[in-house]
Structures are given as structure tokens and as C-alpha cells.
Amino acid sequence: MASDDFPVPDMSDVALVDVLRAVGDPIRLSIVRVLADGRPHPKCSEEWGFGVHKSTMTHHFRTLRKAGLTQTTVTGRTHTVELRRAELDARFPGLIDAITSG
Amino acid sequence: MASDDFPVPDMSDVALVDVLRAVGDPIRLSIVRVLADGRPHPKCSEEWGFGVHKSTMTHHFRTLRKAGLTQTTVTGRTHTVELRRAELDARFPGLIDAITSG
DNA sequence: GGGATTGTTGGATGATCGTCCAACGGTAGG
DNA sequence: CCTACCGTTGGACGATCATCCAACAATCCC
């Protein structure tokens, strides 16, 4: 399973309403707020202390990626996820700030 | 049916994730963008040119109100809806701007 | 009062969503 | 090779959601 198996939409194709729907879930919003530090995070990180099943996390990470919020990099058997910060800031100015502040 | 029949949550009780979920729908996002002009708008306004049933609009207006985004004023047989702009800006700085710009 | 306007309520329906589980597939390390 | 680890896939299930429809309620105007 390579990084190519996690395609990302063109940011110009990303609709605001889809971004909002993606972050309109407690777990996904928490993920985005952690990712807002700008660094890549492993999917298995202990930071995600939600009490949900592995496959549920897979579902949430996929939802965020397909909504244009994140991108996944595969290195060996670990996956790291990262916020598409610069692109998001260019497309939706102030949105990520507003969502992740506080 | 008076204005008291449309209770509004305390802004301090409003969670960001609920606001985001409320606005994560095409129709409700459009409503909020129209309301962003700061003026009250009648619920029956022609501005809402979505091809949906009356009761569907009732559902969306209720969803927005319960999420803390709007407030309703009843005058006679017409209802006007209004964005709780100042309160929202104080609670979630930059959010409404980010959502309604562009 | 009678009819038209404005909007809500309740129920029904089909779709989507969040979650879990079992099974599978690479990858790394002994 | 064999095992442990990391993560995905597919299916299943209950809950929520957006929508429509019919019926109702309140208000305004003639």
C-alpha cells in the first residue's frame, strides 16, 4: 500500500460545504485541531485517544482526505497524516484558524 | 405562535462542532450566507430559491436556530430570521467571516 | 365570517452516517 | 519463515438526516 493509494482532490474542486461537513464531527474536528500544528502525525498516534475501533479511525481519516483537508504519506507500514494547511488557507482564508483556535 | 416559541441556546452553551455540522449542508450554508448581510430576512423570502418543500425549510431554520446560529422573530403571521452575528463573532472569532466570504 | 397567506406539526421514507467486528494484506524484526 | 504490528476492506446495524405530504393553526384582509 503506497501513498498513491490515498488520492487527494484538487483544492480547486473542494467545496466549502464539504469541508464544513467533514469537520462537523467531534472526532474529525479533534483530529484537525491536532493536525493544525503543521506537522505530520502517525495515524496510530496516541494523541487520538478516542475510544473507537481501528476501522472507525480509518473511516474518519478517509473522510477528511476526501474532503480535501488532509493528505496521507505511507512509509513502510506506518501512515502519516498531515493537514493541507497552505492550500486550505489559500482557498478558504481564515477558516482553519477559526476552527482550530481556542 | 409568538417569538417565545422559538427558544435560542445560550451562546456559551454552543459548541463549535454543532455550528459546523449545522452549516455543513448546502441549503443551510446558503441561508447563513444570505443572513450574513446583518439584516433580518423573512422566512418566506424569495431569496431562498431552493426547490424544496415548505416544511423542509422549517426543518432547516429550526436546525440553524437550535445550533445557535440564528434567532426568529414573529410579527403577525410572518417570521423573520436573523444571524446572531455579534454573539457568534465573540464566541468563534473569524468563523462567520471565513464561512461567508467568497 | 370566509378565504387567502404564512408557517408548523406529525408521520413516512430512503439515504447517509458512525460504529463495530472479522478477515485480510503488507511490513518489520527475530 | 513466523510472528507481531499497522492499517484497510467488507459487511452489518442502529441512528440520524433531508425530504415530502397532508393536516392543522394563526393571522390578515375583504
Side-chain angles (χ1 to χ4, degrees):
Chain A
M1 184 134 322
S3 297
D4 300 353
D5 294 322
F6 298 91
V8 147
D10 277 359
M11 192 54 74
S12 50
D13 292 337
V14 172
L16 175 60
V17 68
D18 294 325
V19 172
L20 294 173
R21 170 165 299 179
V23 292
D25 173 90
I27 290 187
R28 289 194 296 265
L29 180 56
S30 297
I31 293 175
V32 168
R33 294 176 95 132
V34 170
L35 261 39
D37 67 2
R39 299 196 305 264
H41 291 251
K43 284 184 180 172
C44 72
S45 173
E46 302 305 322
E47 294 175 285
W48 334 112
F50 321 112
V52 294
H53 199 274
K54 278 188 308 177
S55 56
T56 302
M57 292 304 292
T58 294
H59 162 66
H60 287 308
F61 282 125
R62 183 178 43 216
T63 301
L64 287 173
R65 175 175 49 82
K66 297 224 271 204
L69 279 157
T70 61
Q71 61 191 16
T72 295
T73 307
V74 177
T75 51
R77 86 187 141 180
T78 68
H79 301 189
T80 67
V81 64
E82 189 176 354
L83 200 60
R84 298 172 65 184
R85 186 66 129 114
E87 292 174 275
L88 286 165
D89 284 346
R91 178 108 167 87
F92 307 111
L95 181 62
I96 301 299
D97 272 344
I99 285 176
T100 61
S101 74
Chain B
M1 182 133 327
S3 297
D4 301 354
D5 295 321
F6 298 90
V8 147
D10 278 358
M11 192 54 75
S12 51
D13 293 337
V14 172
L16 175 59
V17 67
D18 293 325
V19 172
L20 294 173
R21 170 165 297 178
V23 98
D25 173 90
I27 290 186
R28 290 195 294 267
L29 179 57
S30 296
I31 293 175
V32 168
R33 295 176 94 133
V34 169
L35 261 40
D37 67 2
R39 300 195 304 265
H41 291 252
K43 285 184 180 172
C44 72
S45 172
E46 303 304 322
E47 294 174 286
W48 334 111
F50 322 112
V52 294
H53 199 273
K54 277 188 309 176
S55 55
T56 301
M57 292 304 293
T58 294
H59 161 66
H60 286 308
F61 282 125
R62 181 178 46 216
T63 301
L64 287 173
R65 174 175 49 83
K66 297 224 268 207
L69 279 157
T70 61
Q71 60 192 15
T72 295
T73 307
V74 177
T75 51
R77 91 189 136 176
T78 67
H79 301 189
T80 67
V81 65
E82 189 177 355
L83 201 60
R84 298 171 66 184
R85 185 68 128 114
E87 292 176 276
L88 286 165
D89 284 346
R91 179 107 167 88
F92 308 111
L95 181 62
I96 301 298
D97 272 344
I99 284 176
T100 61
S101 73

